[in-house]
Amino acid sequence: MLVNAKAMLQKAAKEGYAVAQININNLEWTKAVLVTAQAQKSPVILGVTGGAAKYMVSFSVVTEMAKAMVKSLGITVPVALHLDHGSAAQCDECIEAGFTSIMFDGSHYPIAENLAKTKHYVDLAHTKGMSIEAEVGSIGGEEDGVVGAGDLADPEECRQIAALGVDFLAAGIGNIHGVYPEGWLGLDFDVLGKIRDVCGGIPLVLHGGTGIPVEMIQTAISLGVAKINVNTECQLAFADATRGYIEAGMDLQGKGFDPRKLLAPGYDAICRVVQEKMELFGSVGKA
Ligand code: 13P
């Protein structure tokens, strides 16, 4: 059964670890994440961008696939199905489709508008038993067409948005979607500490989880981060493994072109990345 993400993230924040949000793109991705979470006895969040949902046909196709897969694979660890960086229209669609969690990303609006729009979705999500994430400041870089300038969040704005009753909060602290560029300044722990101090203990979310050094992950968790999003790293691992298979000519041997064989190294690579992240974030055995 899919659950909302509130209880799993409150437990993580209390016990000092983080739950991975792994973004999914297709059936192989979803299966790799679920099978690995079950093997590691770890809670997990399946992240879905609007672009990924469109690729998989629709949010309702994703919901039905995730629900059926959890059931047919006998998954017993807590799994949340979460909209990543949602617009208002995408939040509406996910509520209708049966997602268990949404992110309303109003970070590109002036703060008063972000607060008003977020409040609407907090109330709506909660009447449906769903959890909700909001964003202040912005995550740098680009993810599925969502572009952010990488503005540091203002702790006072974070306090105001947390006070609306959001269940977890993403705040820009120098994090970037995609691979970190040469000369990246790192995460701003001063700002993160200030946000933690004024937000009443709500779990904080670190986007841009690909390529953040181990010590920074550990410091972030010690300052209240309880959810870390990873997308690009699985994509790179999948592409590398698939390239290796083809460059070795494996697709030309026997029935090596069978998609179940061709996609297997990429699937295994995703499983490895997810396991590594669960170990690094400390969620292994916490289900
Ligand atoms: P990366 O693609 O950098 O791992 O970021 C993922 C993310 O933050 C999803 O919202």
Side-chain angles (χ1 to χ4, degrees):
M1 202 181 75
L2 297 172
V3 297
N4 82 31
K6 183 174 176 171
M8 70 167 85
L9 293 182
Q10 283 186 340
K11 181 175 182 289
K14 196 161 147 246
E15 296 180 18
Y17 62 93
V19 177
Q21 171 186 311
I22 307 289
N23 282 46
I24 56 170
N25 290 288
N26 58 16
L27 182 143
E28 283 75 16
W29 239 265
T30 313
K31 182 177 165 192
V33 176
L34 292 176
V35 166
T36 307
Q38 184 70 21
Q40 299 305 313
K41 300 191 170 39
S42 170
V44 76
I45 297 168
L46 302 174
V48 184
T49 61
K54 203 166 161 195
Y55 176 77
M56 291 183 270
V57 180
S58 67
F59 288 110
S60 62
V61 168
V62 177
T63 310
E64 297 310 318
M65 174 180 70
K67 272 192 193 159
M69 221 186 258
V70 163
K71 188 162 178 242
S72 299
L73 289 170
I75 303 295
T76 55
V77 297
V79 179
L81 183 62
H82 181 72
L83 169 64
D84 191 22
H85 293 286
S87 64
Q90 289 164 350
C91 286
D92 290 339
E93 281 180 54
C94 286
I95 291 168
E96 177 71 27
F99 269 48
T100 58
S101 189
I102 50 172
M103 172 184 192
F104 172 67
D105 180 358
S107 61
H108 49 288
Y109 295 115
I111 185 65
E113 207 174 339
N114 188 4
L115 284 165
K117 288 186 157 68
T118 299
K119 167 94 178 90
H120 170 76
Y121 282 105
V122 167
D123 294 345
L124 199 54
H126 287 169
T127 59
K128 307 276 181 191
M130 302 166 77
S131 48
I132 177 162
E133 173 179 348
E135 179 169 321
V136 177
S138 66
I139 316 303
E142 184 266 346
E143 184 184 46
D144 268 345
V146 177
V147 180
D151 308 311
L152 291 178
D154 171 11
E156 170 53 21
E157 292 181 3
C158 291
R159 187 194 65 73
Q160 290 175 25
I161 213 152
L164 300 175
V166 301
D167 298 300
F168 31 102
L169 178 66
I173 55 164
N175 39 341
I176 297 172
H177 286 132
V179 175
Y180 284 86
E182 278 296 300
W184 173 55
L185 294 175
L187 299 177
D188 191 323
F189 292 120
D190 184 42
V191 170
L192 180 59
K194 286 186 177 132
I195 293 168
R196 190 257 330 249
D197 290 346
V198 297
C199 282
I202 78 165
L204 301 174
V205 182
L206 182 60
H207 283 246
T210 295
I212 297 180
V214 173
E215 324 78 68
M216 285 195 202
I217 294 283
Q218 287 162 347
T219 308
I221 292 173
S222 76
L223 291 170
V225 165
K227 171 175 178 278
I228 303 177
N229 295 4
V230 178
N231 187 0
T232 307
E233 204 162 326
C234 291
Q235 299 184 3
L236 290 171
F238 180 87
D240 266 2
T242 309
R243 186 186 319 106
Y245 182 88
I246 292 174
E247 282 181 356
M250 305 281 281
D251 58 319
L252 302 174
Q253 290 173 23
K255 281 213 156 201
F257 56 83
D258 178 334
R260 283 166 282 176
K261 294 195 169 114
L262 180 64
L263 299 180
Y267 170 90
D268 291 340
I270 297 170
C271 291
R272 280 196 295 277
V273 171
V274 174
Q275 180 177 340
E276 270 167 37
K277 296 301 163 193
M278 288 174 169
E279 287 167 0
L280 175 60
F281 301 166
S283 69
V284 172
K286 300 289 188 183

